Structure formats: structure tokens, C-alpha cells
Amino acid sequence: MARDTMSLYFGDSGIRVMTTRGRRITKLAYIPVDINLADSKASEKENEIANQIRHLFRAQRIGGRRIILGISGLHCFVRPVLLPELPRKMLEEAVSREAKRVFPVPLDQFYLSWQIMSSSGGKARILLVAIPRNIADAAVR
């Protein structure tokens, strides 16, 4: 049995919604909204944006239990780094230290995610991504 999934993407010019059943797209919708989740007044816009999303869901009869949330990468930092191959516990600490070194911002204001892209010759290529906490938290709310 195919599962229904909804993807909700917050771009810089609006919100895109896609519902799928298995691999088939069942609905597409777009709301042009000046979101600017990085704005210091974003909390004032949250209720307005939430109401627009609710209205769209009702009008298009969109629903779903599984939701995939996407956020524009405009305000994110992305850096590839090369580290020695290490055990997982040590690698987490090494990634954290490397992120503090390569990102030009204090990491306590960001969510950090990373993934090993490849490993060979005793080296691991890792992709680091940092997204501001205020942007991610506003989108989730």
C-alpha cells in the first residue's frame, strides 16, 4: 500500500506544497508570500503565514500525516571539509571542531548537520551544513 506524503517547502518568495501517493504526485500548490524567516519580525508573521497555509490546505483539500519540511538554503552555510577517517565518536568531535573553525559565525546560533560524502586513502570528505536556529524554529512553528 502506497503512503501519502506531503512536502512543504519554505522558499524566499513563497511556500510550495506537494502531496504524493507512493511515487505519484497527487497535488501541487503554491502560495506567494514574503516569508523572510531571517527577519527579526518573523514571529509577527508566523500567525499570518500559518493562516494562509491552513486556508490553502482547506481550499485544496490537502492533508497528510507524513510531512517533509524544506527550508530555503539562502541563509545557510555549506562547507565541504576533509578529515582523517576516524571512529564515529571521534569523528563527531572532529566535525564539531572543524565547523567552529571554518564557519564565520558562532555555532550556538545554528543547527549543524553533516554527512560523509566519501572515504578513501584514510581521508573522509564531509559536507557541513549550518542553518540559523531562528529560521529553522520559525519554519517548524
Side-chain angles (χ1 to χ4, degrees), residues 35 45-46 86 96 99:
I35 298 172
K45 293 183 182 180
E46 286 178 22
L86 298 167
S96 178

Side-chain angles (χ1 to χ4, degrees), residues 50-64:
N51 288 334
Q52 289 178 337
I53 292 170
R54 277 189 214 99
H55 177 72
L56 174 71
F57 286 2
R58 284 187 199 116
Q60 297 290 323
R61 295 185 181 148
I62 295 174

Side-chain angles (χ1 to χ4, degrees), residues 25-128:
I25 296 172
T26 55
K27 292 190 182 190
L28 289 171
Y30 175 74
I31 308 171
V33 178
D34 178 25
I35 298 172
N36 195 4
L37 294 173
D39 187 4
S40 61
K41 298 178 183 176
S43 60
E44 297 173 7
K45 293 183 182 180
E46 286 178 22
N47 287 335
E48 175 188 334
I49 293 169
N51 288 334
Q52 289 178 337
I53 292 170
R54 277 189 214 99
H55 177 72
L56 174 71
F57 286 2
R58 284 187 199 116
Q60 297 290 323
R61 295 185 181 148
I62 295 174
R65 293 180 184 219
R66 296 183 59 208
I67 298 174
I68 298 170
L69 177 63
I71 303 171
S72 168
L74 181 64
H75 300 285
C76 297
F77 292 103
V78 179
R79 296 286 187 276
V81 296
L82 191 62
L83 293 173
E85 284 189 62
L86 298 167
R88 186 71 177 184
K89 283 273 191 193
M90 291 178 69
L91 187 58
E92 289 177 16
E93 177 65 27
V95 164
S96 178
R97 288 181 184 199
E98 188 67 7
K100 287 176 186 173
R101 189 183 73 76
V102 299
F103 287 132
V105 294
L107 284 180
D108 61 341
Q109 298 173 12
F110 288 77
Y111 289 113
L112 178 66
S113 182
W114 58 276
Q115 181 174 350
I116 299 172
M117 303 305 290
S118 66
S119 293
S120 65
K123 298 284 185 182
R125 291 188 56 206
I126 298 171
L127 184 66
L128 304 174

